Amino acid sequence: MWRRMFIAVGFGFLVVFSLLGMGATPKRVNLAITMEPKSIDPNIAYGTEFLRVVNNLFLPLVDYDYTKQAPLPRIAESWTVSEDGLTYIFHLRKDVKWSDGKPLTAHDVVYTVRRIVNPDTASPFGFWFDMIKGVKEVAAGESADLTAIGVKAIDDYTVEFDLVYPAAYFLQLLYAVMRPVPEWAIEEHGEKWTRPENIVVNGPYLLTSWEPYNEIVLKKNPLYYDAKNVEIEEVHFYYVKEPSTIFSMYLTGELDSIRVPGDLLDRVKADPNLAKQLHTGSSAGVMYIGFRCDKPPFDNPLVRKAFAAATDKETLVKEVRRSGEQVAFTFIPPGIVGHVPNSEGIGIPYDPEKAREYLAQAGYPNGEGFPTVKFGFAATTSDKKIAEALQAMWQNTLGVKIEMLPREHKTYFETIQAGAYNIFRLSWGADFPDGHDFLYYTFHTKYGEGTIKWDVVDFDSLVEKAARTSDLAERKELYKQAQKLLVEDEAAVIPLFWYAYNILTKPYIERPYSPVCTWELRLEEWRFVGEK
């Protein structure tokens, strides 16, 4: 889901600590957010930065532990699955309440699924539920009867899902997108239901303030079922675009935990105190270059292969990013079902001579006659460095001209979809730990994001079959074949690297770290272990 592009402009502010209760200072953490959320409706919000807020307000039906690589109870305390994998029955906790005091029931789950798949909602997750009976018919306009889809409340605390195929990743999918919302609040307030004065939540925190492009404030939800174990009472997200400003604010104590910009990582490691506060690890995401495969000259696979072979990923990782990332030749990162190690030889390695050979075979020897390439990327400091490095590699190796077209995040993705660029930089991070998330939702020719505009039915067949296959070994082989088509045979994208996380956290805070929990998705698990 990451189309994660870091944006930047700093601002100054005075941190004012409010008081709670009998004059006691609340246990509070201050964090930075680099994008202004378009929405905090959990059925609509899309993108990692937004989920840092959303996932602390709304609980998932099923949770997931990336360390143990297993689904966990959350709203659903238990579940059963039929032998054929087509029927899931979930038994809900009876102590989960909405912040207005109403109990959360199976009817809320049913309402939410229907709302997500309703075309009128325009949820980006609607077609993700295509394994549920009746959803494809609704999406195709063949049926308008949302009550006929395969989800029903057996009683107030039991809900049943009926599937059309045994999706092996169904529980993980529920973790990613199934967060119940309050029907009555939405009916009363419409699109304004997520404003602080209207919103009704069920998670560990309440939304108490939202000043666009300035500050979002969360406070502990006293009606959260496990409120007694939530130690952090307030969370302040400050909108700060510039990574260097974020780093400075951490040094001055204005922020309590940050992601370290790559160009500052060496400085952090060299500082004895900061080095002790640094937490690193692999992150379940990939940065890549995409091509518009339907437009000349990139409608020719030889041209795309030429650019792939001219891309020096080692230099990009070691000299430009410098953040501990791992060079990627396939798309799915380590730790995700379907990952193919680089050692298996899939992908196009850096080979300048081969790159020039591919371009000559395509009819452009030494770049002669090749049109100017429009290269799109997010208008951020970090993206600009990557783009400049790639521009130099491609121009120097292939003899082509690359026009740099940075764009602000707010309209960047839509501009890609509109076809403004020949080449563009994007990222994808795990919504859930399965290749279906990385391949089907991104590059399926009908149901994907629609960025590369290719038409390879063999790829569609492979990822569709993988979605319907229960055997893990077979699924991995299908994802391997699909990735070979994507990054080698068709070279529709160039995987650059798999992400790493580098997090600075103040020594008085203890918090979890995992491949997808590095964006403060579980603030209820944070603890103070010393004086601030």
Side-chain angles (χ1 to χ4, degrees):
M1 166 189 303
W2 304 354
R3 298 187 292 268
R4 336 285 182 199
M5 290 88 43
F6 303 122
I7 317 178
V9 7
F11 72 93
F13 62 85
L14 177 63
V15 178
V16 181
F17 289 89
S18 61
L19 301 179
L20 293 180
M22 300 296 293
T25 301
K27 292 184 176 180
R28 161 180 168 171
V29 296
N30 300 317
L31 305 170
I33 189 167
T34 60
M35 301 178 191
E36 172 64 19
K38 295 179 181 178
S39 172
I40 54 171
D41 182 329
N43 301 161
I44 296 174
Y46 190 64
T48 303
E49 287 290 273
F50 312 152
L51 295 182
R52 297 174 69 194
V53 177
V54 172
N55 286 9
N56 286 292
L57 300 173
F58 297 92
L59 299 175
L61 180 63
V62 176
D63 212 332
Y64 192 84
D65 188 320
Y66 274 82
T67 302
K68 297 178 180 177
Q69 296 188 330
L72 297 173
R74 199 60 188 266
I75 293 174
E77 62 182 358
S78 65
W79 53 85
T80 59
V81 185
S82 62
E83 288 189 13
D84 60 7
L86 297 178
T87 303
Y88 286 72
I89 296 177
F90 296 90
H91 304 280
L92 310 188
R93 300 178 63 104
K94 296 180 179 179
D95 58 353
V96 179
K97 295 183 182 297
W98 293 98
S99 54
D100 62 1
K102 291 183 174 68
L104 189 153
T105 70
H107 307 288
D108 298 320
V109 176
V110 172
Y111 166 77
T112 301
V113 175
R114 291 174 180 172
R115 180 174 185 256
I116 290 172
V117 304
N118 185 345
D120 292 341
T121 305
S123 170
F125 311 117
F127 74 93
W128 291 26
F129 281 136
D130 68 346
M131 75 291 293
I132 298 176
K133 284 184 179 179
V135 168
K136 272 201 169 181
E137 289 76 9
V138 169
E142 299 170 5
S143 172
D145 186 4
L146 294 171
T147 65
I149 68 172
V151 56
K152 61 184 177 184
I154 297 175
D155 58 40
D156 285 349
Y157 293 97
T158 310
V159 63
E160 177 180 316
F161 287 80
D162 295 308
L163 312 187
V164 292
Y165 63 86
Y169 52 88
F170 185 62
L171 290 173
Q172 290 92 319
L173 175 64
L174 293 178
Y175 153 73
V177 300
M178 184 56 241
R179 294 174 186 268
V181 293
E183 179 179 7
W184 60 96
I186 295 169
E187 292 297 319
E188 180 178 355
H189 301 292
E191 292 182 356
K192 297 180 181 179
W193 82 272
T194 56
R195 291 186 176 181
E197 64 270 22
N198 300 329
I199 195 168
V200 179
V201 302
N202 55 50
Y205 291 92
L206 305 170
L207 176 68
T208 60
S209 174
W210 182 1
E211 300 176 28
Y213 298 98
N214 186 15
E215 180 185 10
I216 296 173
V217 180
L218 309 185
K219 291 188 179 181
K220 180 177 175 178
N221 178 6
L223 295 184
Y224 174 54
Y225 73 86
D226 196 29
K228 66 180 184 299
N229 289 318
V230 177
E231 183 172 315
I232 305 302
E233 296 168 323
E234 287 188 20
V235 183
H236 291 240
F237 288 100
Y238 294 102
Y239 176 72
V240 193
K241 291 175 65 177
E242 183 58 57
S244 60
T245 304
I246 292 174
F247 183 71
S248 296
M249 291 169 66
Y250 181 84
L251 295 181
T252 58
E254 294 170 281
L255 296 175
D256 297 308
S257 187
I258 67 167
R259 287 166 283 182
V260 183
D263 56 353
L264 294 173
L265 190 57
D266 287 344
R267 173 181 169 183
V268 170
K269 290 180 177 179
D271 184 302
N273 290 326
L274 290 178
K276 293 177 183 178
Q277 300 169 29
L278 180 65
H279 304 264
T280 64
S282 61
S283 186
V286 60
M287 180 181 282
Y288 68 97
I289 295 296
F291 298 104
R292 274 300 296 254
C293 300
D294 62 336
K295 289 185 175 183
F298 292 98
D299 57 343
N300 186 339
L302 287 170
V303 171
R304 302 194 295 262
K305 290 181 179 181
F307 276 73
T311 303
D312 184 354
K313 301 176 186 181
E314 288 284 350
T315 294
L316 201 64
V317 165
K318 294 180 179 179
E319 298 182 18
V320 181
R321 283 289 294 189
R322 302 170 64 187
S323 296
E325 286 91 357
Q326 181 182 350
V327 166
F329 286 98
T330 54
F331 198 78
I332 300 174
I336 305 296
V337 172
H339 169 66
V340 178
N342 291 335
S343 59
E344 295 201 20
I346 292 178
I348 297 176
Y350 176 55
D351 188 334
E353 289 301 321
K354 191 67 176 176
R356 288 186 279 269
E357 181 181 326
Y358 282 136
L359 201 62
Q361 291 174 359
Y364 304 100
N366 300 313
E368 296 172 11
F370 200 86
T372 298
V373 177
K374 296 180 178 180
F375 181 20
F377 56 94
T380 71
T381 303
S382 58
D383 269 19
K384 183 181 178 183
K385 290 180 179 179
I386 293 170
E388 288 174 343
L390 291 170
Q391 178 191 41
M393 292 173 190
W394 294 334
Q395 290 187 157
N396 294 340
T397 301
L398 301 174
V400 300
K401 182 179 179 180
I402 308 293
E403 180 184 0
M404 307 283 272
L405 297 172
R407 196 173 185 91
E408 288 295 321
H409 166 73
K410 188 178 294 186
T411 56
Y412 177 56
F413 186 72
E414 290 74 13
T415 306
I416 292 173
Q417 290 181 311
Y421 314 120
N422 305 114
I423 301 178
F424 49 87
R425 189 216 69 81
L426 279 176
S427 299
W428 189 268
D431 299 292
F432 56 93
D434 193 273
H436 188 79
D437 180 37
F438 279 82
L439 300 183
Y440 187 95
Y441 297 147
T442 45
F443 305 121
H444 189 285
T445 59
K446 182 177 181 181
Y447 300 111
E449 289 193 313
T451 54
I452 60 175
K453 302 297 183 185
W454 68 335
D455 185 17
V456 181
V457 293
D458 287 348
F459 179 88
D460 291 351
S461 298
L462 288 166
V463 294
E464 288 171 6
K465 186 176 180 181
R468 291 160 172 77
T469 301
S470 298
D471 182 82
L472 181 58
E474 184 178 353
R475 297 187 75 233
K476 288 181 177 180
E477 178 58 30
L478 290 167
Y479 286 139
K480 180 177 179 180
Q481 294 176 34
Q483 288 181 90
K484 186 174 186 298
L485 270 176
L486 178 69
V487 305
E488 183 177 321
D489 299 343
E490 294 291 332
V493 302
I494 307 173
L496 297 177
F497 52 78
W498 295 305
Y499 279 96
Y501 69 78
N502 299 282
I503 304 290
L504 277 172
T505 302
K506 294 296 185 180
Y508 48 78
I509 289 177
E510 182 181 88
R511 53 161 291 186
Y513 301 91
S514 80
V516 295
C517 290
T518 57
W519 302 283
E520 295 74 59
L521 302 188
R522 297 177 185 271
L523 287 164
E524 74 272 18
E525 296 182 10
W526 288 35
R527 300 286 182 267
F528 276 99
V529 292
E531 292 297 322
K532 190 168 183 177

